Amino acid sequence: MVDASCIIPAAGLSSRMGRWKGMLQVREKGVESATLLGRTVRTALKGCRDAVVVAGSQIETVREIVSELDRVTVVENQCPEKGMLNSIQTALPFVSGPFFIVPMDMPLIEADHYEKLYDFFQSQGGRSVVRPRFNGISGHPVLLPGDWNERIRRAEGESLRQFLKPGEVDLLQWGDRSVILDLDTEEAYREYLQISG
């Protein structure tokens, strides 16, 4: 476990999927009936100090999914239509120090993703944003220094990506597509079920 928080935006409308993704059934070792959100939160807690889950209209469902977990704060984004940046900003008052951001729909992320990224972050001096990269595509989790907290709170727009300038981001080359596979569509979900065995 590393000394960083993890922000998990879960307030999106899942418009491309056509249904809220948090309740999708996924595979998780030792868990008989794992939901996508539940797996994401439990994995984050294995790798990080604590987790902040940002919910929208599904907030009661989110609270139920994480009700038996410690070190989790659930906060409500009352304007999820503004995009993921708004969800991240909603979470920031509840984190201190370095923090990860990981979407809830990436079921191949494991605890050691957080550990490897944090070790790399520390080796680079702990001052730059760190992202994993696979086949030329930047992925998640993203790790940000604590001094980015206030900077992001003041930001405007829909996406954090527009604020990540190349000179401020250290990329860690990753050996598999776990850092880029997200369940945005039914097709992606079916593909995940096939490759996850």
Side-chain angles (χ1 to χ4, degrees):
M1 183 186 303
V2 303
D3 190 19
S5 297
C6 184
I7 295 173
I8 304 171
L13 304 177
S14 303
S15 54
R16 292 177 64 194
M17 176 65 76
R19 54 181 166 147
W20 188 65
K21 294 179 281 190
M23 290 297 291
L24 290 175
Q25 294 297 299
V26 296
R27 295 184 173 90
E28 182 179 359
K29 188 175 181 180
V31 179
E32 190 170 320
S33 183
T35 62
L36 181 55
L37 177 61
R39 185 197 191 285
T40 301
V41 175
R42 282 187 293 273
T43 302
L45 292 174
K46 290 174 187 173
C48 304
R49 180 180 62 227
D50 53 32
V52 180
V53 183
V54 185
S57 60
Q58 302 282 347
I59 189 164
E60 293 308 321
T61 303
V62 170
R63 285 182 174 137
E64 184 177 337
I65 290 171
V66 304
S67 62
E68 296 182 5
L69 300 174
D70 295 325
R71 298 182 287 121
V72 181
T73 302
V74 177
V75 296
E76 183 176 8
N77 180 356
Q78 297 184 342
C79 303
E81 69 280 358
K82 290 185 177 180
M84 190 179 290
L85 177 61
N86 191 256
S87 283
I88 294 167
Q89 290 170 325
T90 302
L92 286 172
F94 300 89
V95 304
S96 60
F99 58 97
F100 287 95
I101 299 168
V102 67
M104 74 166 170
D105 64 353
M106 301 189 70
L108 298 182
I109 301 297
E110 300 289 353
D112 65 353
H113 284 68
Y114 298 101
E115 293 162 5
K116 289 176 183 176
L117 288 162
Y118 191 82
D119 286 347
F120 181 66
F121 171 75
Q122 294 285 70
S123 74
Q124 301 299 107
R127 292 183 296 275
S128 299
V129 176
V130 167
R131 292 195 81 167
R133 190 170 178 85
F134 177 71
N135 275 3
I137 303 171
S138 297
H140 289 87
V142 180
L143 175 55
L144 298 101
D147 59 10
W148 273 66
N149 191 313
E150 189 59 37
R151 176 175 173 179
I152 296 173
R153 285 201 219 189
R154 294 194 308 264
E156 295 182 5
E158 293 184 8
S159 169
L160 180 63
R161 185 177 300 141
Q162 66 198 80
F163 303 103
L164 300 180
K165 299 179 177 65
E168 297 176 311
V169 181
D170 288 325
L171 298 170
L172 178 59
Q173 300 304 318
W174 211 264
D176 61 58
R177 59 192 300 233
S178 59
V179 297
I180 62 171
L181 181 87
D182 56 23
L183 305 187
D184 269 351
T185 63
E186 290 287 351
E187 182 181 7
Y189 181 46
R190 288 193 296 271
E191 179 187 0
Y192 157 74
L193 291 175
Q194 287 181 340
I195 66 176
S196 64

